[in-house]
Amino acid sequence: AVVTSSHSVYLQYIGTEALVLAAGNAGAKVVLRFRPGQFVLRGEALAAVYPKECVTMLDSVIRRSAKLGNHRTLTQDSEFGVAQIVEIAIRALSPAVNDTFTGLACVDWLGDVLLALAEKPPLEGNWYDLSGKLRVWMPAIRLERLVKHAFDLIRQAGAQNPAVLIHQLDVIRRLAPRMPAPAKQMLAEQARAIRDTEMSDIVALDRSDIERALQRARDVLNMGNNFWD
């Protein structure tokens, strides 16, 4: 049985402790269809309850545990934090502002964010009761997805800015040895995307600097498992 959303809103927060306790008392499992930060359309299934007979016991608990609102928040939404830094960067790199140094600072701090997340145990979205039974599941945010978000828009906004491309390659080089394999693979994809960027309008000296930065990143990505080829 499903619990639907009565409004179009953002899922801001999940009170997992209360939800696990209630699901355990009911002998049920709750499968959340969205994670904090995602937009839920009116009438969409917010959660599913197994077995369906338990939905009457859990409907109100699910609605209380799932905090909904008109805006995203940073409470359980790491992707939103990344998006805010990226937004500062792409505004700084816009032709109207043309503030390269702010864009480079954002690349630095995004590297720090990704490193902090890589050092934490990965969240798989599984929540268990004290007896070890799975009671609540929600979609997990993957580190490799955050890596993609941290690089894509800035790379596109700085496609003709050698300083931005070189700085991104430098962060890739420094992050790669400390990333798990899926995130390291995404770093390699970002480095290849920079390699494939159209650079006909960039002068030869700057293209040479980009090539050297690319080679340094490639050398690190090829250590151990070959993530480049």
Side-chain angles (χ1 to χ4, degrees):
V2 297
V3 176
T4 59
S5 175
S6 57
H7 298 86
S8 294
V9 286
Y10 284 102
L11 177 58
Q12 295 177 331
Y13 175 86
I14 295 292
T16 51
E17 186 175 352
L19 200 51
V20 166
L21 181 61
N25 291 337
K29 180 168 71 173
V30 177
V31 175
L32 297 162
R33 299 293 178 85
F34 298 88
R35 64 174 175 268
Q38 291 187 306
F39 192 73
V40 186
L41 289 172
R42 173 174 47 83
E44 279 192 308
L46 182 62
V49 177
Y50 301 89
K52 64 181 181 180
E53 293 79 15
C54 295
V55 71
T56 54
M57 300 173 59
L58 294 175
D59 184 286
S60 61
V61 180
I62 292 170
R63 295 187 187 280
R64 288 197 306 270
S65 300
K67 182 180 179 182
L68 307 172
N70 293 329
H71 308 283
R72 296 175 73 173
T73 70
L74 292 170
T75 307
Q76 293 181 343
D77 185 5
S78 54
E79 187 175 20
F80 183 46
V82 170
Q84 286 186 310
I85 302 175
V86 169
E87 183 176 2
I88 294 170
I90 60 177
R91 288 187 181 186
L93 296 172
S94 67
V97 179
N98 196 25
D99 180 5
T100 298
F101 287 106
T102 295
L104 298 182
C106 289
V107 173
D108 287 333
W109 285 111
L110 285 167
D112 179 69
V113 168
L114 294 174
L115 181 60
L117 292 170
E119 290 174 342
K120 292 181 178 295
L123 291 176
E124 298 297 333
N126 302 318
W127 299 88
Y128 300 87
D129 63 16
L130 293 178
S131 68
K133 290 185 178 180
L134 179 65
R135 293 302 181 189
V136 176
W137 180 89
M138 75 173 77
I141 181 70
R142 303 294 180 187
L143 180 59
E144 55 269 27
R145 176 182 172 88
L146 295 177
V147 170
K148 179 175 173 61
H149 285 330
F151 280 87
D152 270 350
L153 291 178
I154 298 176
R155 171 176 49 77
Q156 294 159 10
Q160 297 304 310
N161 189 324
V164 172
L165 300 180
I166 291 169
H167 211 63
Q168 284 195 308
L169 287 167
D170 189 51
V171 170
I172 289 171
R173 174 183 61 81
R174 295 159 66 189
L175 282 179
R178 305 170 71 175
M179 290 284 126
K184 192 172 181 180
Q185 184 63 55
M186 181 55 67
L187 289 173
E189 290 183 17
Q190 291 297 321
R192 285 193 290 268
I194 292 173
R195 177 199 63 189
D196 296 338
T197 298
E198 175 56 49
M199 298 186 188
S200 58
D201 293 334
I202 297 177
V203 300
L205 179 62
D206 292 337
R207 287 201 303 271
S208 297
D209 289 340
I210 294 170
E211 284 294 331
R212 284 193 289 271
L214 185 63
Q215 184 59 55
R216 290 192 295 268
R218 181 187 297 150
D219 290 344
V220 173
L221 288 163
N222 279 341
M223 290 180 180
N225 294 325
N226 191 333
F227 287 92
W228 185 261
D229 300 323

